[in-house]
Amino acid sequence: NKKPNLISSESFSRVGGVFMGQSHRIKKIFPDAKIIIVLRHPISHLKSFYKYSVENFGFWRPLEDSIDWVRTPFVSFRQNPFSITNYYYDEMLSVYYKAFGRENVCVLKHETLLEDPAVFFEKLSGFLNCDWSIEKYVEIQNNNNVNVSPCDEDIAMLRADNFMKIFGSEMPYFPEIEVVTNRIVEKFSRQEILSEELVKKIESHLEGACYGYI
């Protein structure tokens, strides 16, 4: 009762109608809630999420082939892993504005946290009407490991390794396995995660729909 209670979940902002249901649940249980939403540039977010998936979930397909470009029916086995509609930020924000009022929704940017944390926490503290200084943030950062993504070259190697784990399990005694591995590594090393063409394609899908990022 003496401190703000914070509840955080990625499901509060997920697509496929999930955030609509979640906003209604929050409104029913906590009608006077203050909503904090932190956004990240959709293209850097996509790349980061892809690299994380390669590193931790065995992904090997190119990013472009892993994006769901349309509003595929909300059936997981029919969707590609990365839905472009995850980055229609304005749709999600409009739902929370309507449910709680703009004055009760604080939208922050991940980029502000990185580039000017003092501004980020000044806005957050003012919204919550509580003191959270940048010194506290620096203390937390210094006491925790920073989650750094592998470089693009390492991601290519990881993709090849993920692919060969699948291929090798199917053909464990294949005599040319080393040759195939080297060719796969070479092929993946030539593939950019985010080519100029892919960036333009993403921007064309998101233009005017993601909180001014594009």
Side-chain angles (χ1 to χ4, degrees), residues 32-191:
D32 299 322
K34 289 182 175 291
I35 307 299
I36 303 166
I37 298 172
V38 182
L39 303 177
R40 180 175 180 177
H41 193 291
I43 292 179
S44 67
H45 190 185
L46 256 176
K47 183 175 181 179
S48 177
F49 190 18
Y50 173 76
K51 292 170 74 172
Y52 181 84
S53 299
V54 170
E55 185 180 15
N56 295 280
F57 301 133
F59 280 36
W60 61 268
R61 294 167 58 198
L63 173 58
E64 183 169 7
D65 294 347
S66 303
I67 296 176
D68 196 341
W69 294 99
V70 296
R71 293 184 185 271
T72 301
F74 196 56
V75 181
S76 59
F77 64 83
R78 297 182 63 182
Q79 292 178 315
N80 280 329
F82 308 111
S83 174
I84 199 70
T85 56
N86 273 331
Y87 305 98
Y88 291 168
Y89 295 149
D90 291 350
E91 289 187 356
M92 181 262 295
L93 291 175
S94 67
V95 169
Y96 281 100
Y97 289 153
K98 183 177 180 180
F100 295 92
R102 283 179 176 265
E103 70 279 5
N104 292 312
V105 179
C106 178
V107 184
L108 301 166
K109 289 187 174 183
H110 173 74
E111 294 77 18
T112 306
L113 178 62
L114 297 181
E115 297 165 8
D116 197 344
V119 171
F120 183 96
F121 284 106
E122 181 181 1
K123 185 174 181 180
L124 179 61
S125 298
F127 179 70
L128 294 177
N129 194 27
C130 65
D131 181 33
W132 191 334
S133 67
I134 189 170
E135 287 77 16
K136 183 66 176 178
Y137 168 70
V138 172
E139 177 187 340
I140 293 172
Q141 285 292 92
N142 290 339
N143 291 330
N144 288 273
N145 294 324
V146 178
N147 186 20
V148 179
S149 297
C151 65
D152 290 9
E153 292 75 16
D154 288 342
I155 287 296
M157 295 290 293
L158 286 169
R159 285 180 58 208
D161 186 53
N162 292 339
F163 176 82
M164 293 311 299
K165 284 178 181 177
I166 299 172
F167 181 81
S169 66
E170 296 295 326
M171 305 181 70
Y173 305 111
F174 184 61
E176 301 293 329
I177 192 74
E178 187 173 344
V179 174
V180 173
T181 300
N182 291 335
R183 289 180 178 175
I184 292 296
V185 170
E186 182 182 357
K187 177 181 178 180
F188 287 176
S189 296
R190 293 196 304 267
Q191 295 176 346

Side-chain angles (χ1 to χ4, degrees), residues 11-14 16-33 35 37 91-101 105:
S11 66
F12 294 160
S13 57
R14 288 183 61 189
V18 175
F19 64 80
M20 294 182 183
Q22 293 289 359
S23 66
H24 294 154
R25 293 179 66 201
I26 297 170
K27 183 67 176 178
K28 183 176 181 179
I29 300 171
F30 303 110
D32 299 322
I35 307 299
I37 298 172
E91 289 187 356
M92 181 262 295
L93 291 175
S94 67
V95 169
Y96 281 100
Y97 289 153
K98 183 177 180 180
F100 295 92
V105 179

